[in-house]
Amino acid sequence: MFVFVCAGCGAELTVPLFQVSLPVHARQVYGNGAQLPVLMESGTFAVDPDPWRGPWRRWGGIHPVEAEARGIHAPVRSLSDGPPGESVIAPGDIRGTRLIPEERGGSSCCGLDGADGTNMACLACDLPVATRLDDCSLWQAVRLDPDAVRRTPGGGVPPAPLSWAELVEEGEGTPPFEPIATWGGPLGTGHYWSWSPRWEAAAGRALAHLLVASRGRPVRVPGGLAADVFQRGLDALLPTGLPERCAVLAGPGRPSPGEGDDILLVPVHPRTGRTWSPPGPAASAYPVPLPFGVWLWLASPRPYPPVPASGRIPRDVLRDDPLPLLPNRPFWADREVFRHTLARLPAARAPWLRAILENFGQDSSAHIF
């Protein structure tokens, strides 16, 4: 376990925390006026390896050698010159700080967005140490400035990471649909039923990997929910008329991949961040990473069909009148997560992948994001 302390005076700034993998949706900006929940589970922190905040530089002013040294292999709109390695925690786990009122503004409308820089100071010495995020369309979090805090050993022993078998047995899948709460508008606060923002972010990252794994050929994914999530995007971005590659679900508890399965949709361990790898010859297949909860739902879907019942309806039985709500639009992968991921894959140097990024959002790709 670790406690973060102020680099200026040594005051404790957090409760004891243990490290987990950074969620794929950590940088997501979702919808307009949506109220998103807390990003990190209480008692955990994750490290974001990439700079997140300003100052920013446009792509035209960045030399290709510098870009590649920073792990950027294809054009992006801009690059952050902020410090890399910020630790991300739940807002409820911060201690001994105060908000800096003059740093509240920026482009926010319903809360804090961090656009004006660090907005939380150490209560003991007034050193700016963190950035609180809680504006609409942002996941609520606190980002600790790596230059202003230090990580020190804290009390307690963190729980041991679960094995893959234990995760399958005890883990919870992430439902693909969920209600999204909204801030006030002409009709006041409310909510709407939507595809899960977590799924849209996961699909953005996975779609970038699927393009790389395709090597410019069409890719077919399993039918059902996986096809709803990935197939339209793959069909829009990849050429037709060539022999297809097939992507299959693989992972703990699943049948071993076959010899012809050269693209695998596999889980990422939520604690360690490691991608599951198959044994034997299939280890050479391209692994497309999915958050464990998303992968588990794809591997073990829960259809919740109507169940006949007499008398009072039991708690675990869904009514078939009215029918369960479904989103009123096709699935959209997250545009910015896709762009962020693809530009950081070395294969993006290939001309056909660079062309996808440079022409991003035009023509056939506009309706899949």
Side-chain angles (χ1 to χ4, degrees):
M1 304 287 284
F2 297 96
V3 171
F4 289 86
V5 302
C6 175
C9 67
E12 292 190 358
L13 301 177
T14 70
V15 301
L17 306 168
F18 66 89
Q19 188 169 0
V20 297
S21 175
L22 183 72
V24 67
H25 51 280
R27 294 167 170 262
Q28 186 179 38
V29 179
Y30 181 82
N32 181 22
Q35 292 189 58
L36 297 182
V38 173
L39 175 68
M40 304 297 299
E41 290 188 15
S42 181
T44 69
F45 76 94
V47 177
D48 190 342
D50 293 321
W52 168 80
R53 51 189 168 91
W56 296 87
R57 282 191 293 158
R58 303 293 293 180
W59 177 256
I62 300 169
H63 194 278
V65 174
E66 178 190 355
E68 291 216 6
R70 296 178 58 174
I72 314 297
H73 304 285
V76 295
R77 287 179 297 187
S78 59
L79 277 182
S80 166
D81 276 341
E86 290 185 329
S87 294
V88 189
I89 68 172
D93 288 339
I94 195 75
R95 296 291 186 270
T97 59
R98 68 171 183 87
L99 286 173
I100 306 174
E102 58 270 23
E103 297 293 349
R104 186 194 181 280
S107 58
S108 61
C109 60
C110 301
L112 302 170
D113 67 358
D116 281 347
T118 306
N119 57 25
M120 301 184 76
C122 172
L123 203 56
C125 70
D126 224 28
L127 177 70
V129 293
T131 304
R132 172 72 183 263
L133 303 173
D134 56 17
D135 196 19
C136 61
S137 303
L138 300 179
W139 291 86
Q140 298 179 45
V142 170
R143 285 177 166 265
L144 301 172
D145 187 334
D147 296 328
V149 303
R150 291 185 290 106
R151 190 169 69 186
T152 62
V157 178
L162 296 179
S163 67
W164 286 113
E166 291 170 333
L167 276 174
V168 172
E169 182 68 24
E170 302 179 17
E172 294 186 5
T174 302
F177 316 120
E178 63 181 80
I180 303 297
T182 63
W183 289 99
L187 301 179
T189 58
H191 72 275
Y192 59 93
W193 200 254
S194 172
W195 289 97
S196 167
R198 295 174 176 85
W199 276 70
E200 294 187 6
R205 179 176 69 176
L207 187 58
H209 283 276
L210 282 165
L211 289 187
V212 171
S214 74
R215 300 177 186 174
R217 287 166 45 183
V219 171
R220 184 66 49 187
V221 298
L225 184 57
D228 293 339
V229 171
F230 296 117
Q231 199 61 63
R232 284 193 318 115
L234 291 169
D235 292 346
L237 295 172
L238 292 172
T240 59
L242 298 173
E244 286 185 343
R245 293 183 180 275
C246 290
V248 299
L249 274 170
R254 301 278 303 175
S256 298
E259 290 186 8
D261 298 330
D262 54 357
I263 304 176
L264 307 180
L265 300 169
V266 297
V268 174
H269 198 289
R271 174 75 178 277
T272 66
R274 294 177 180 173
T275 302
W276 182 86
S277 179
S284 61
Y286 191 106
V288 175
L290 292 171
F292 182 80
V294 171
W295 175 88
L296 186 60
W297 196 281
L298 285 172
S300 305
R302 304 176 188 178
Y304 290 123
V307 177
S310 60
R312 299 185 65 179
I313 295 181
R315 178 181 301 175
D316 295 332
V317 175
L318 294 182
R319 294 178 60 94
D320 60 355
D321 179 24
L323 293 172
L325 295 174
L326 294 175
N328 60 0
R329 60 167 174 83
F331 183 85
W332 296 335
D334 190 283
R335 172 190 301 269
E336 295 306 320
V337 175
F338 170 82
R339 192 200 306 263
H340 181 89
T341 302
L342 185 55
R344 286 158 177 79
L345 296 175
R349 292 192 292 260
W352 70 277
L353 284 172
R354 290 177 69 96
I356 287 177
L357 280 172
E358 290 169 356
N359 300 322
F360 195 70
Q362 301 177 13
D363 303 327
S364 60
S365 67
H367 67 281
I368 63 174
F369 296 102

